[in-house]
Amino acid sequence: MASQYNGTTGTADAGYSTNVHDLNIFYDTGNLTFLTMSSVLVLLMIPGVGFFYSGLARRKSALQLVLLSMLSVAVIGFQWFFWGYSLTFARTGNAFLGDLSQFGLMKTLAQPNGSAFLPDILLCLYQGMFAAITPALAIGAVADRGRMLPAIVFIFIWSTVVYDPIAYWTWNPNGWLYKLPAYDFAGGGPVHIASGSCALAYSVMLGKRTGYSKTHGLPYRPHSVTNVVLGTVFLWVGWFGFNGGSALAMNLRAVMACYVTNLAASCGGIVWVLLDYRLERKWSTIGFCSGAISGLVAITPAAGFVSPWAALVVGLLGGACCNLATKLKFLAGVDDALDIFAVHGVGGMVGNVLTGIFGALTRPPSRSYIAGLDGTAYPAIGWIQHNWVQLGYQLAAICAAFGWSFALTCTILFLMNLVPGLSLRVSATEEDVGIDDAQLGEFAYDYVESTRHVADAASPGSMSSSSCGSTHEKTSPGFI
């Protein structure tokens, strides 16, 4: 059994104040192993995002989205080491943001952080993967029209100015949302609402792609359904580490979080397929994958707080709301090419709201039996426990994450676009040639074009909108 940590607490400390030679005595190897493997699973999700987005995009821009997802790992790997971890999880920050007491990971080693079962350096590793996947989710907004260099610079700036503060508010004990309290188990606000809002703002600032119709988007199919399925598999598997690992120890709460995650994904996939089937009488693979991701997004903030029957409701409502939200971009006139806001932004909002409603049953009285599976006593959480004010706190968290991310993203991009060499959008010629050719000089595949322009092969009746907007639209073969 691990010994109780007996060193300095409350300020940054490497752990040597314990005056022991072996710092491992304070931690159970099972917990260390579980969180390390959860970190690896979250890392696996990031190329999953790249494959998912690549499959939905046009063939001539497919490789860019895979590359940007991997660049997100690298850029945030440095940013998180440099100052991101300190800004987010420093122990001595104010209600809004951490300080630089752990700048460059100084004094970051064996002192517990996040829970008594977790040393600082492991929390840094695990949460660093969350920090990396969030801009990877958002940066898909550049599809077909965004330049590479500004996107890379944006990832570093956005993570510092937008993600780190929201994550601090939500998960750091000093953060104002944490103290409220607004409950968010694994990142409905910092990860999904923030990335969805960022993608919406990025799409607004970039403008519509050439040939975009306000009612039908662009008439092309996702170029590789196989890549979409592959990306979904990576994401679904990785989400066990994403949600399960957020228990910050190997305990029954982590197991329950994994179970409800899988259940919500299953229900989300089923409801999206059925909603698509009602329109076209066809079984959509893309629809199933989109629905499964929607269910996973919706359950993320709730995974450590809800029982299995509530997770079923979360998955169904998450899939249905995200499916319907794919039409919002046409109402708003925004070319969100991959429906990132509809799936991640709206899905995160739905999950946060439902956390405030279905936060677990009271058993025994005055104790949450789901959240309490980690051995900690919690007060009543949701409406189901007659804690009526909680929904207001959840709505406050939603508005804070959306407002901060959308406003700051627009501001960052506006200022970047004024800097020589950092203009956001490719030229009309480069857009026509394709981002992979113009910006990368490499291709996802060796292929021969049969058509280049939408007008080359468009025919009456070739366009039909479906419940996933541009990612589901259909036309005759040959489009790139």
Side-chain angles (χ1 to χ4, degrees):
M1 180 177 291
S3 301
Q4 184 175 0
Y5 187 83
N6 65 349
T8 302
T9 58
T11 58
D13 174 67
Y16 292 109
S17 58
T18 58
N19 295 317
V20 299
H21 296 290
D22 182 9
L23 294 172
N24 293 286
I25 65 173
F26 300 114
Y27 300 102
D28 177 74
T29 54
N31 290 325
L32 297 180
T33 301
F34 175 64
L35 264 295
T36 302
M37 293 306 300
S38 293
S39 303
V40 173
L41 287 172
V42 180
L43 175 61
L44 179 69
M45 296 172 69
I46 302 176
V49 172
F51 282 117
F52 187 85
Y53 285 171
S54 172
L56 291 176
R58 305 177 76 174
R59 187 190 303 269
K60 64 182 181 180
S61 302
L63 189 60
Q64 179 199 29
L65 298 173
V66 178
L67 176 59
L68 279 174
S69 71
M70 297 310 298
L71 282 170
S72 180
V73 179
V75 173
I76 300 305
F78 170 75
Q79 188 271 353
W80 197 244
F81 153 80
F82 187 68
W83 60 23
Y85 180 69
S86 188
L87 292 175
T88 308
F89 287 101
R91 299 167 177 82
T92 50
N94 53 35
F96 184 78
L97 189 63
D99 54 29
L100 295 179
S101 59
Q102 292 174 264
F103 175 81
L105 296 192
M106 62 181 179
K107 301 179 181 179
T108 303
L109 182 58
Q111 183 182 353
N113 199 355
S115 80
F117 309 106
L118 203 61
D120 229 339
I121 191 64
L122 185 50
L123 180 67
C124 177
L125 173 67
Y126 180 62
Q127 283 292 339
M129 299 305 169
F130 281 62
I133 195 174
T134 305
L137 291 170
I139 208 66
V142 306
D144 289 329
R145 62 207 192 274
R147 294 180 64 230
M148 287 291 296
L149 178 61
I152 296 169
V153 174
F154 173 80
I155 287 172
F156 184 92
I157 297 174
W158 185 87
S159 184
T160 301
V161 176
V162 177
Y163 175 81
D164 292 347
I166 298 175
Y168 180 89
W169 306 341
T170 305
W171 290 320
N172 193 300
N174 296 318
W176 68 274
L177 286 177
Y178 187 97
K179 291 181 176 180
L180 199 56
Y183 293 107
D184 190 333
F185 186 66
V191 177
H192 297 295
I193 297 176
S195 63
S197 306
C198 173
L200 182 67
Y202 212 130
S203 299
V204 170
M205 299 303 290
L206 276 176
K208 299 181 181 67
R209 290 165 291 173
T210 303
Y212 186 84
S213 163
K214 66 180 182 180
T215 56
H216 293 293
L218 278 173
Y220 67 90
R221 291 177 182 269
H223 93 275
S224 176
V225 178
T226 302
N227 275 4
V228 174
V229 175
L230 180 63
T232 302
V233 170
F234 281 15
L235 286 164
W236 198 327
V237 171
W239 231 290
F240 283 86
F242 195 87
N243 285 356
S246 292
L248 302 184
M250 183 64 262
N251 52 42
L252 286 173
R253 193 182 189 192
V255 177
M256 179 63 80
C258 289
Y259 182 82
V260 298
T261 295
N262 188 69
L263 179 60
S266 302
C267 294
I270 291 170
V271 74
W272 193 304
V273 164
L274 293 177
L275 286 172
D276 276 6
Y277 185 82
R278 87 188 194 282
L279 296 175
E280 299 187 0
R281 295 296 186 268
K282 294 183 183 294
W283 300 94
S284 172
T285 306
I286 297 285
F288 174 78
C289 293
S290 299
I293 300 301
S294 299
L296 291 165
V297 170
I299 197 62
T300 292
F305 301 109
V306 300
S307 56
W309 72 264
L312 185 147
V313 178
V314 171
L316 292 175
L317 290 179
C321 291
C322 292
N323 179 286
L324 298 175
T326 59
K327 296 302 182 186
L328 292 177
K329 65 182 180 184
F330 298 120
L331 295 176
V334 177
D335 183 9
D336 182 1
L338 306 179
D339 290 313
I340 301 170
F341 177 72
V343 173
H344 293 277
V346 173
M349 293 176 188
V350 170
N352 266 16
V353 168
L354 295 180
T355 301
I357 295 175
F358 294 113
L361 300 170
T362 304
R363 186 184 300 168
S366 75
R367 183 168 178 142
S368 169
Y369 87 96
I370 297 298
L373 288 173
D374 62 2
T376 305
Y378 287 82
I381 293 178
W383 275 19
I384 202 166
Q385 295 179 296
H386 309 295
N387 183 30
W388 311 115
V389 72
Q390 189 60 49
L391 185 58
Y393 295 157
Q394 298 300 114
L395 291 172
I398 291 170
C399 293
F402 175 83
W404 185 259
S405 180
F406 187 85
L408 266 294
T409 299
C410 288
T411 303
I412 293 167
L413 292 173
F414 175 79
L415 294 175
M416 283 179 54
N417 203 43
L418 299 177
V419 177
L422 291 182
S423 57
L424 304 178
R425 185 161 177 158
V426 299
S427 67
T429 300
E430 289 180 315
E431 183 178 351
D432 182 45
V433 169
I435 306 300
D436 291 355
D437 192 355
Q439 291 278 299
L440 276 62
E442 299 171 332
F443 305 92
Y445 319 93
D446 291 323
Y447 68 95
V448 177
E449 298 175 356
S450 58
T451 59
R452 176 174 293 278
H453 301 286
V454 171
D456 290 345
S459 58
S462 65
M463 295 188 297
S464 64
S465 64
S466 72
S467 61
C468 194
S470 67
T471 59
H472 282 62
E473 287 144 16
K474 300 180 178 179
T475 186
S476 55
F479 280 91
I480 58 170

